[in-house]
Short mmCIF file of all heavy atoms in Angstrom, two decimals:
data_model
loop_
_atom_site.label_atom_id
_atom_site.label_comp_id
_atom_site.label_asym_id
_atom_site.label_seq_id
_atom_site.Cartn_x
_atom_site.Cartn_y
_atom_site.Cartn_z
N GLY K 141 -8.48 -3.91 -19.61
CA GLY K 141 -8.74 -3.08 -20.77
C GLY K 141 -7.60 -2.11 -20.99
O GLY K 141 -6.93 -1.62 -20.05
N ALA K 142 -7.31 -1.75 -22.22
CA ALA K 142 -6.43 -0.69 -22.60
C ALA K 142 -7.08 0.50 -23.16
O ALA K 142 -7.07 0.89 -24.25
CB ALA K 142 -5.38 -1.31 -23.66
N GLY K 143 -7.79 1.23 -22.21
CA GLY K 143 -8.53 2.43 -22.46
C GLY K 143 -7.57 3.54 -22.86
O GLY K 143 -6.29 3.35 -22.92
N PRO K 144 -8.07 4.74 -23.00
CA PRO K 144 -7.14 5.85 -23.44
C PRO K 144 -6.04 6.15 -22.44
O PRO K 144 -4.91 6.31 -22.97
CB PRO K 144 -8.14 7.07 -23.45
CG PRO K 144 -9.52 6.39 -23.69
CD PRO K 144 -9.53 5.09 -22.98
N THR K 145 -6.29 5.99 -21.17
CA THR K 145 -5.16 6.37 -20.25
C THR K 145 -4.08 5.31 -20.36
O THR K 145 -2.89 5.62 -20.38
CB THR K 145 -5.67 6.54 -18.81
OG1 THR K 145 -6.64 7.43 -18.79
CG2 THR K 145 -4.63 6.78 -17.82
N ARG K 146 -4.42 4.02 -20.29
CA ARG K 146 -3.46 3.06 -20.53
C ARG K 146 -2.81 3.10 -21.77
O ARG K 146 -1.48 2.78 -21.85
CB ARG K 146 -4.01 1.63 -20.22
CG ARG K 146 -4.00 1.18 -18.86
CD ARG K 146 -4.01 -0.32 -18.65
NE ARG K 146 -4.10 -0.56 -17.20
CZ ARG K 146 -5.33 -0.89 -16.60
NH1 ARG K 146 -6.42 -1.03 -17.26
NH2 ARG K 146 -5.40 -0.94 -15.31
N ARG K 147 -3.41 3.30 -22.92
CA ARG K 147 -2.88 3.45 -24.21
C ARG K 147 -1.82 4.57 -24.26
O ARG K 147 -0.71 4.36 -24.82
CB ARG K 147 -3.91 3.70 -25.35
CG ARG K 147 -4.76 2.53 -25.59
CD ARG K 147 -3.93 1.33 -26.24
NE ARG K 147 -3.19 1.84 -27.53
CZ ARG K 147 -3.69 1.72 -28.60
NH1 ARG K 147 -4.81 1.18 -28.91
NH2 ARG K 147 -3.04 2.06 -29.70
N ARG K 148 -2.17 5.67 -23.56
CA ARG K 148 -1.12 6.76 -23.52
C ARG K 148 0.13 6.36 -22.83
O ARG K 148 1.30 6.53 -23.12
CB ARG K 148 -1.69 8.02 -22.81
CG ARG K 148 -2.54 8.84 -23.77
CD ARG K 148 -2.83 10.24 -23.35
NE ARG K 148 -3.58 10.20 -22.17
CZ ARG K 148 -5.00 9.99 -22.07
NH1 ARG K 148 -5.55 9.96 -23.29
NH2 ARG K 148 -5.67 10.01 -21.05
N LEU K 149 -0.02 5.58 -21.63
CA LEU K 149 1.13 5.07 -20.80
C LEU K 149 1.79 4.12 -21.65
O LEU K 149 3.06 4.04 -21.67
CB LEU K 149 0.51 4.42 -19.57
CG LEU K 149 0.05 5.37 -18.57
CD1 LEU K 149 -0.76 4.62 -17.43
CD2 LEU K 149 1.19 6.19 -17.93
N LEU K 150 1.12 3.10 -22.36
CA LEU K 150 1.79 2.15 -23.19
C LEU K 150 2.61 2.77 -24.30
O LEU K 150 3.75 2.45 -24.58
CB LEU K 150 0.76 1.26 -23.92
CG LEU K 150 0.24 0.10 -23.00
CD1 LEU K 150 -1.03 -0.48 -23.67
CD2 LEU K 150 1.41 -1.04 -22.85
N ASP K 151 2.07 3.88 -24.95
CA ASP K 151 2.80 4.46 -26.17
C ASP K 151 4.08 5.13 -25.48
O ASP K 151 5.07 4.98 -25.95
CB ASP K 151 1.94 5.61 -26.70
CG ASP K 151 0.76 5.00 -27.54
OD1 ASP K 151 0.88 3.76 -27.93
OD2 ASP K 151 -0.21 5.66 -27.82
N GLY K 152 3.83 5.81 -24.26
CA GLY K 152 5.12 6.40 -23.70
C GLY K 152 6.18 5.39 -23.28
O GLY K 152 7.43 5.70 -23.44
N VAL K 153 5.76 4.16 -22.61
CA VAL K 153 6.71 3.21 -22.36
C VAL K 153 7.43 2.72 -23.61
O VAL K 153 8.54 2.51 -23.56
CB VAL K 153 6.03 2.08 -21.58
CG1 VAL K 153 6.86 0.81 -21.46
CG2 VAL K 153 5.56 2.53 -20.16
N MET K 154 6.64 2.37 -24.64
CA MET K 154 7.24 1.91 -25.97
C MET K 154 8.15 2.91 -26.52
O MET K 154 9.29 2.63 -26.91
CB MET K 154 6.14 1.50 -26.83
CG MET K 154 5.60 0.08 -26.48
SD MET K 154 4.38 -0.56 -27.68
CE MET K 154 3.31 0.75 -28.04
N LEU K 155 7.80 4.14 -26.52
CA LEU K 155 8.72 5.16 -27.02
C LEU K 155 10.06 5.38 -26.23
O LEU K 155 11.14 5.32 -26.81
CB LEU K 155 8.08 6.54 -27.06
CG LEU K 155 6.92 6.74 -28.17
CD1 LEU K 155 6.15 8.02 -28.02
CD2 LEU K 155 7.66 6.78 -29.60
#
Side-chain angles (χ1 to χ4, degrees):
T145 300
R146 267 205 188 101
R147 284 297 302 270
R148 280 193 295 279
L149 290 168
L150 281 163
D151 289 344
V153 166
M154 287 190 302
L155 285 172

